[in-house]
Amino acid sequence: MSSPALHGVTTIEPHADTLRPPWPFTGREEELDLVRRSSAAGRPGVVVTGPAGCGRTRLATEAVRGLDCVRVSPTPETRATPFGAFAPVLPEFVTLHRAVRLLSGVRLLFVDDAHLLDDASAALLHHLAVQGRTRLLVTVTDGAPAPAAVTRLRTGESLPRLALAPLPDDATDPLLEAAAGGPLDPLTAHRLRRLCRGDLRLLRDLTAAVRDAGLLTRLPETGLRAWRGPVPPTPALRERAAAVLARPCPEERETLDRLAFAEPLPLPAGALDLRALERLEADALIEVADDDTVRLAHPLHGPMLRATAGRLRARRLSGLRGPLTDALDTEAAALLDGIARDDVRTARTPVGEWLVAEGAPVPAGYAAVRARFARLRGELREAAAWAREGLSETPGHPACRRELALTAARSGDPDPDDGATEGGAPDDLDAYDAVRLGAPERALELLPPDGVFARHARALARADGAALDRVAAELGERGFLLYAAEAYAQAASAHRDPTAARTARTRAAALARRCQGARTPALSGPALGELTARQRQIVTLAAAGLTNRQIAERLTLSVRTVGNHLYGAYARLGTADRTTLPWLVEQPA
């Protein structure tokens, strides 16, 4: 039997949802460049690893777009057949030796989900990697059972390895908007991310389920889409939660349901079936804290268990949730303690998030604390959303109005409601605003002398670029991302060494991009003075979102010329991240 043609793209798609339009490609520009370079002529290829749903396939598909390659996608069904994944490109009853010889002429071989390969196919892939004649692009899921040959690939033994980290929150915004059909309110976006834990496939399934069920409503204050209420138990989401929904042991299912209906609070281990807990813990379905309280391990499981419980079962278990007032006060106290210690790193706040998710009233005092904590972290849109939650419960609440006004000011609102800053608790960092605005002398006598904010003031007063870099790094470690961005921007102006200035400027831009639309005086200033006129023109278009090809067509240049200009601009700006360009090009005023 003659073998099929080995050039072009051959694909076996295992999932029905691949018929959906592709997601926007976002947040992986550096990784995309690395994969493309690793798959170029003269290179051996690369293995892309990462947790399930992190976007390995999307990245690899984008990398081979327009290239001459052979693609195979093994499935659980093909695992039972020797060379089953390669059936479209190999003859029947082929030997390993002949398979290696046939595929040695392929320029680029893309093997998606290689952990699903049968042993013969895995051995073939290993031989091709060792032989080195065929460039390989291989994706593998972390932690998934795999043939020994694939495990060796996954560790980077035979090919360079690229380990993907979860996408940062800001990079998922275009994905959420595409799946939801429009921009989402920050608390809804946060809820969706929290339920999915970095699994982009689950994020798409959940967002689509919410949209298709008609659960997105427009908020009158902002016009953004919001989701409040239960998770829709669609077939796709039921499959995702099968680990708990299909648990056959009655004692284990009862334990899971009790934990689900007690959320957002945990339950004491002594109140549950201990043998069932042991089995559930062994399967990583629950988490046991140091105080012997228990909660479900995955945030989606509780909502799905509640959504699929029958009416009588739900009625019986609904009394397990205790009063939330004390737990809510404890969360607020923990947030205020972090602020007092100059530490606003992420805190666990399940009770407040549960109230918002369920559409329950949020006490204005708690909402003001959440808004303040988010504002100090630079999460400006979330801060405004929490303030509005409090105002919807208590219109005119002074602290919530103040937080809304402060957030608007940091977002570049040219005309915030001046009256909104009247009343409410003063911000402990009010004196620090003088430092952020470039007048540190006014604040030195008012700030605690040993604190990071006083060190910022002293470094700025001395125009000490290196000290400002150190302060900015510490502010970032403590969670003050906006303040860290501002300190780096000040360091960029203070540095006499152009390389140090470019590095500080790039760090400022990268942090500012994570601050949800922040526009403050400390972040203003020219960024493109070092570029040639053509570089400024191309970088400005790239910052607006145009691809290299679109820029080339607009300026009547070759794509290669555009790429060369961008490469030179990146070197001068001290960045290789296209997503920071909007901050480097159009600094806030």
Side-chain angles (χ1 to χ4, degrees):
M1 179 184 295
S2 61
S3 62
L6 294 180
H7 297 291
V9 177
T10 301
T11 307
I12 306 172
E13 295 291 358
H15 303 295
D17 62 5
T18 54
L19 297 177
R20 297 177 183 174
W23 280 54
F25 183 79
T26 178
R28 299 276 191 212
E29 285 76 12
E30 290 186 30
E31 293 92 337
L32 177 63
D33 181 61
L34 190 152
V35 172
R36 283 177 171 167
R37 285 190 280 111
S38 298
S39 304
R43 301 292 182 87
V46 65
V47 176
V48 182
T49 67
C54 71
R56 299 179 316 279
T57 298
R58 184 71 176 88
L59 171 65
T61 301
E62 194 70 21
V64 301
R65 188 180 304 280
L67 299 180
D68 181 18
C69 78
V70 171
R71 172 177 176 174
V72 294
S73 299
T75 69
E77 292 73 23
T78 62
R79 178 177 266 174
T81 304
F83 300 114
F86 288 88
V89 294
L90 291 176
E92 290 186 78
F93 311 116
V94 69
T95 64
L96 176 60
H97 175 74
R98 188 182 179 202
V100 171
R101 185 162 53 85
L102 288 170
L103 290 176
S104 294
V106 173
R107 294 180 181 178
L108 176 61
L109 175 63
F110 170 22
V111 182
D112 195 21
D113 287 339
H115 53 281
L116 296 177
L117 288 173
D118 60 274
D119 289 336
S121 295
L124 169 60
L125 186 62
H126 173 72
H127 278 278
L128 292 171
V130 172
Q131 181 176 277
R133 295 178 185 172
T134 300
R135 300 194 302 277
L136 299 175
L137 174 53
V138 182
T139 69
V140 188
T141 298
D142 286 342
V150 173
T151 299
R152 289 195 293 272
L153 283 176
R154 181 163 53 191
T155 60
E157 180 178 316
S158 304
L159 288 175
R161 174 173 173 260
L162 171 62
L164 292 187
L167 275 180
D169 285 353
D170 60 289
T172 64
D173 286 339
L175 307 181
L176 286 171
E177 184 170 338
L184 296 171
D185 96 287
L187 300 186
T188 296
H190 175 77
R191 181 187 183 188
L192 288 164
R193 295 188 190 102
R194 179 176 57 83
L195 289 174
C196 298
R197 280 191 172 177
D199 187 330
L200 300 181
R201 288 199 302 265
L202 177 56
L203 185 67
R204 184 176 195 177
D205 288 343
L206 178 58
T207 308
V210 170
R211 179 201 62 208
D212 295 344
L215 300 180
L216 292 174
T217 59
R218 289 190 181 274
L219 296 176
E221 305 92 342
T222 63
L224 299 174
R225 294 167 172 84
W227 169 39
R228 306 289 188 264
V231 172
T234 63
L237 296 182
R238 285 174 181 264
E239 182 180 352
R240 291 288 188 158
V244 292
L245 296 181
R247 203 73 182 179
C249 175
E251 291 80 13
E252 294 175 13
R253 179 59 189 265
E254 173 71 12
T255 299
L256 291 168
D257 279 340
R258 289 172 65 84
L259 290 170
F261 278 88
E263 286 185 339
L265 303 178
L267 288 177
L272 301 166
D273 186 305
L274 294 182
R275 291 187 180 276
L277 286 178
E278 290 175 0
R279 295 191 292 269
L280 294 171
E281 184 181 27
D283 290 342
L285 295 178
I286 60 170
E287 295 175 347
V288 183
D290 292 339
D291 61 357
D292 278 342
T293 57
V294 185
R295 64 175 71 242
L296 294 170
H298 198 289
L300 181 66
H301 288 168
M304 286 301 297
L305 286 164
R306 294 193 297 272
T308 55
R311 183 175 299 178
L312 295 178
R313 190 174 186 82
R315 185 181 303 166
R316 174 174 66 84
L317 296 172
S318 60
L320 290 172
R321 184 180 301 116
L324 300 180
T325 303
D326 290 346
L328 203 63
D329 291 343
T330 299
E331 285 186 2
L335 296 176
L336 290 172
D337 179 66
I339 294 172
R341 291 184 289 103
D342 298 337
D343 188 342
V344 292
R345 282 171 283 196
T346 303
R348 191 168 188 173
T349 52
V351 180
E353 289 162 4
W354 186 87
L355 290 176
V356 171
E358 296 295 312
V362 178
Y366 175 86
V369 173
R370 287 299 301 265
R372 183 182 177 193
F373 193 83
R375 171 174 58 82
L376 293 175
R377 285 177 50 80
E379 296 166 344
L380 301 186
R381 289 194 289 268
E382 288 193 27
W386 278 108
R388 291 190 186 96
E389 286 289 325
L391 290 171
S392 67
E393 176 66 12
T394 307
H397 189 272
C400 288
R401 295 182 67 217
R402 186 174 192 275
E403 287 301 327
L404 197 58
L406 289 171
T407 300
R410 283 159 174 74
S411 301
D413 188 340
D415 187 26
D417 181 2
D418 293 333
T421 60
E422 297 175 2
D427 196 312
D428 294 340
L429 302 179
D430 280 347
Y432 184 53
D433 284 345
V435 183
R436 298 174 51 246
L437 295 174
E441 297 81 2
R442 302 179 188 176
L444 279 171
E445 295 182 359
L446 300 175
L447 292 169
D450 297 328
V452 63
F453 304 118
R455 290 198 293 278
H456 186 182
R458 289 193 291 269
L460 184 60
R462 300 194 306 266
D464 187 335
L468 285 167
D469 281 340
R470 292 192 295 271
V471 165
E474 183 177 353
L475 286 167
E477 290 172 0
R478 292 171 176 266
F480 296 96
L481 299 189
L482 177 55
Y483 298 162
E486 292 173 330
Y488 274 127
Q490 292 166 340
S493 298
H495 277 300
R496 295 183 179 180
D497 176 33
T499 300
R502 285 196 297 268
T503 301
R505 185 186 301 122
T506 301
R507 289 172 176 169
L511 287 170
R513 181 169 52 89
R514 297 167 58 187
C515 292
Q516 302 182 354
R519 291 183 172 273
T520 69
L523 291 175
S524 63
L528 302 184
E530 299 180 351
L531 303 186
T532 67
R534 178 64 87 182
Q535 285 173 336
R536 285 197 298 273
Q537 186 181 32
I538 291 174
V539 167
T540 301
L541 292 174
L546 274 69
T547 66
N548 287 11
R549 184 171 298 280
Q550 290 170 329
I551 295 171
E553 292 173 353
R554 177 171 297 193
L555 301 181
T556 320
L557 299 172
S558 71
V559 176
R560 185 173 183 177
T561 298
V562 170
N564 289 338
H565 278 301
L566 277 176
Y567 183 81
Y570 287 156
R572 293 191 177 195
L573 294 173
T575 184
D577 185 355
R578 198 182 189 101
T579 59
T580 65
L581 291 180
W583 286 98
L584 293 171
V585 173
E586 186 181 354
Q587 293 290 343

